[in-house]
């Protein structure tokens, strides 16, 4: 993720001391992110392609919360309060932390307002894993935090936060992660933040200046999931859940940045686009792309369209009937994020040739990578279901027109793709 349009380097969406941004009118101070000297000595990541001066930032954690990060301080103070409560005839609690003054959930990151927006006033339980190297392969920045709310003794809502580096070398994140976190119901976080959000999922890439990034890997991300992916109704509840998840993923990312020893923080987006609604498909502009015509044989199957993202880091279009999508077409314009799909362009399947790139067609999935002025761009077409008015083969049929129209839209055209056996 590079330059002004990308936040993996930590520049987009991160402001210096004195800046502020808000969701629903709440203002949050926003310093910059920078890498510490010790980290630079320990790691030698690929150089940031567009370095800038990064300003140091004051600590965000309130004084009382910083004091009570200490387990000893909590125990001593708790003992004092227990004595005072017992002396007053009150009932003391059995715990080594204080509910109001102890560290916040998920790496001391989620504020009281965010937790309340997600869970209301229900009782919550937090299961938090410390951030450490992934024991499977030794790669850094691995951790998980799960919060569950209860009504009486019954679980009501659960949110899971993860910190992990997206894999581009082995392709382990090329299918499942995009299916959940690059969906048409998601919108860009905007304000230069390298991430996306919906009413059930959100993600934000951490600054590359803080985490580094090895070759053939995607960015290190904080992602958050709540309930079933893609389950949205377009109601006011969806809008409220999306705002809460957005605030949570930004706060969690800031907490992880502090845990990694970097200074600064991302700002909460000032506003978010409207919820993504389904529209009637235009026969001469599938996915809203001028000149991208719907194949005559599939006009009934592709009668509704939903387009999310609208730009960086990805634009996603799903087309199908009223109940579920038949095909998904994704354009990934963020250079770092394209790495998680790179394996699909030279793995199994039939070769796809193009004027500025190359790709592969593997059954119901076609992936094409082009070299554009802004860096690599990946175009992907996935057939998710059988169309009612035709058989398989939508990925092969739609790829040339989709790439040509999208390349023109983003200023990368003209681009001509020749599918296999054409």
């Amino acid at each position: 993720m590079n330059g002004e349009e990308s936040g993996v380097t930590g520049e987009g969406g991160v402001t210096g001391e004195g800046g502020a941004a808000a969701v629903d009118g709440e203002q949050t101070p926003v310093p910059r992110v920078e890498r510490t000297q010790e980290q630079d000595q320990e790691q030698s990541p690929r150089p940031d392609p567009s370095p800038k001066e990064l300003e140091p930032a004051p600590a965000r954690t309130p004084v009382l919360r910083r004091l009570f990060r200490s387990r000893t301080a909590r125990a001593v103070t708790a003992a004092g309060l227990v004595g005072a409560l017992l002396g007053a005839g009150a009932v003391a609690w059995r715990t080594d932390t204080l509910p109001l003054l102890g560290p916040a959930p998920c790496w001391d990151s989620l504020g009281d307002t965010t937790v309340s927006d997600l869970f209301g006033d229900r009782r919550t339980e937090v299961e938090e894993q410390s951030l450490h190297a992934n024991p499977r392969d030794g790669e850094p920045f691995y951790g998980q935090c799960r919060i569950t709310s209860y009504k009486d003794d019954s679980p009501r809502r659960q949110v899971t936060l993860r910190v992990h580096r997206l894999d581009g070398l082995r392709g382990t994140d090329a299918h499942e992660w995009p299916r959940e976190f690059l969906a048409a119901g998601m919108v860009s976080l905007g304000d230069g933040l390298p991430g996306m959000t919906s009413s059930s999922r959100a993600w934000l890439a951490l600054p590359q200046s803080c985490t580094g990034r090895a070759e053939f890997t995607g960015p290190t991300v904080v992602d958050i999931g709540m309930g079933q992916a893609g389950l949205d109704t377009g109601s006011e509840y969806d809008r409220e859940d999306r705002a809460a998840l957005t605030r949570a993923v930004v706060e969690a990312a800031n907490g992880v940045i502090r845990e990694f020893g970097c200074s600064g923080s991302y700002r909460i987006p000032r506003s978010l686009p409207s919820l993504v609604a389904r529209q009637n498909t235009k026969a001469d502009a599938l996915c809203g792309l001028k000149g991208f015509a719907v194949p005559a044989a599939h006009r009934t199957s592709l009668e509704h369209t939903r387009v999310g993202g609208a730009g960086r880091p990805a634009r996603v279009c799903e087309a199908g009937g009223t109940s579920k999508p038949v095909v998904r077409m994704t354009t990934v314009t963020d250079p770092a994020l394209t790495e998680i799909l790179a394996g699909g362009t030279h793995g199994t399947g039939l070769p796809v040739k193009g004027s500025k790139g190359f790709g592969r067609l593997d059954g119901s999935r076609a992936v094409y990578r082009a070299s554009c002025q802004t860096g690599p761009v990946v175009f992907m077409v996935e057939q998710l279901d059988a169309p009612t008015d035709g058989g398989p083969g939508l990925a092969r049929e739609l790829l040339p027109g989709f790439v040509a129209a999208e390349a023109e839209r983003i200023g990368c055209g003209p681009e001509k793709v020749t599918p296999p056996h054409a």
Side-chain angles (χ1 to χ4, degrees):
M1 298 185 181
N2 302 322
E4 181 180 345
E5 298 181 50
S6 164
V8 173
T9 60
E11 292 149 10
V14 185
T15 62
E17 183 177 352
V23 166
D24 299 331
E26 296 188 22
Q27 298 291 322
T28 304
V30 284
R32 277 192 173 276
V33 174
E34 66 179 2
R35 187 174 179 83
T36 63
Q37 183 177 1
E38 290 79 3
Q39 287 175 313
D40 286 331
Q41 294 173 351
E42 292 172 358
Q43 299 183 23
S44 298
R46 190 164 62 189
D48 190 337
S50 53
K52 294 182 179 179
E53 279 294 324
L54 300 176
E55 301 173 9
R60 173 179 173 272
T61 311
V63 174
L64 284 176
R65 180 158 285 164
R66 291 203 305 271
L67 172 65
F68 283 97
R69 277 177 172 168
S70 165
R71 188 180 183 91
T72 302
R74 292 199 302 266
V76 171
T77 308
L81 286 178
V82 167
L85 289 169
L86 290 175
V91 179
W93 60 88
R94 260 181 63 189
T95 182
D96 64 343
T97 61
L98 298 178
L100 298 178
L101 297 177
C106 303
W107 315 291
D108 198 17
S109 65
L110 301 187
D112 295 338
T113 299
T114 300
V115 174
S116 178
D117 287 348
L118 287 170
F119 303 105
D121 57 0
R122 294 193 180 104
R123 174 176 64 90
T124 59
E125 292 183 2
V126 181
E127 302 166 81
E128 182 177 315
Q129 179 187 36
S130 61
L131 300 173
H132 53 72
N134 186 338
R136 184 185 64 184
D137 50 27
E139 289 192 357
F141 316 143
Y142 175 84
Q144 183 169 290
C145 179
R146 182 167 61 191
I147 308 176
T148 308
S149 67
Y150 292 84
K151 182 178 182 181
D152 300 325
D153 291 328
S154 300
R156 302 296 294 178
R157 171 173 276 192
Q158 188 173 85
V159 164
T160 301
L161 278 152
R162 301 181 301 172
V163 182
H164 58 123
R165 177 172 286 170
L166 294 176
D167 167 49
L169 183 62
R170 294 171 296 274
T172 55
D173 289 318
H175 292 267
E176 193 62 36
W177 195 86
R179 189 174 298 122
E180 289 195 37
F181 293 95
L182 296 180
M186 306 191 76
V187 298
S188 172
L189 289 173
D191 286 340
L193 291 172
M196 302 179 76
T197 185
S198 72
S199 60
S200 63
R201 296 291 186 274
W203 65 273
L204 179 57
L206 295 172
Q208 185 177 320
S209 58
C210 178
T211 65
R213 186 169 71 86
E215 194 173 7
F216 307 121
T217 66
T220 299
V221 300
V222 176
D223 60 40
I224 184 170
M226 180 173 66
Q228 181 179 337
L231 183 62
D232 48 27
T233 62
S235 68
E236 188 59 33
Y237 292 113
D238 284 348
R239 194 181 309 277
E240 293 172 359
D241 285 343
R242 188 180 67 170
L245 286 180
T246 299
R247 182 179 293 275
V249 78
V250 174
E251 288 182 351
N254 290 337
V256 174
I257 289 170
R258 292 192 298 271
E259 286 286 322
F260 288 172
C262 302
S263 63
S265 63
Y266 281 126
R267 62 189 179 191
I268 306 290
R270 296 180 181 88
S271 62
L272 292 172
S274 301
L275 296 174
V276 184
R278 290 176 177 83
Q279 307 287 340
N280 292 330
T281 301
K282 295 182 178 180
D284 60 346
L286 180 58
C287 296
L289 300 172
K290 184 178 179 181
F292 184 25
V294 180
H298 302 299
R299 286 182 180 174
T300 302
S301 297
L302 307 179
E303 60 181 343
H304 296 291
T305 306
R306 186 164 69 155
V307 181
R312 293 265 180 163
R315 183 181 191 266
V316 187
C317 170
E318 292 176 351
T322 56
S323 58
K324 58 183 178 180
V326 171
V327 64
R328 178 186 295 126
M329 288 163 278
T330 306
T331 305
V332 181
T333 51
D334 187 284
L337 199 59
T338 61
E339 290 295 336
I340 69 172
L341 301 172
T345 63
H346 54 73
T348 59
L350 301 172
V352 175
K353 299 179 181 180
S355 53
K356 297 179 183 176
F358 57 92
R360 289 274 170 173
L361 172 64
D362 187 7
S364 60
R365 192 173 194 250
V367 184
Y368 181 82
R369 180 185 178 108
S371 297
C372 298
Q373 298 90 327
T374 56
V377 175
V378 166
F379 306 89
M380 181 169 63
V381 180
E382 302 169 280
Q383 183 172 333
L384 309 177
D385 197 13
T388 58
D389 46 14
L394 272 180
R396 180 188 179 280
E397 187 171 0
L398 294 175
L399 182 68
F402 172 64
V403 171
E406 269 288 73
E408 190 68 27
R409 182 186 67 85
I410 64 177
C412 186
E415 182 74 9
K416 183 178 181 181
V417 169
T418 304
H421 308 309

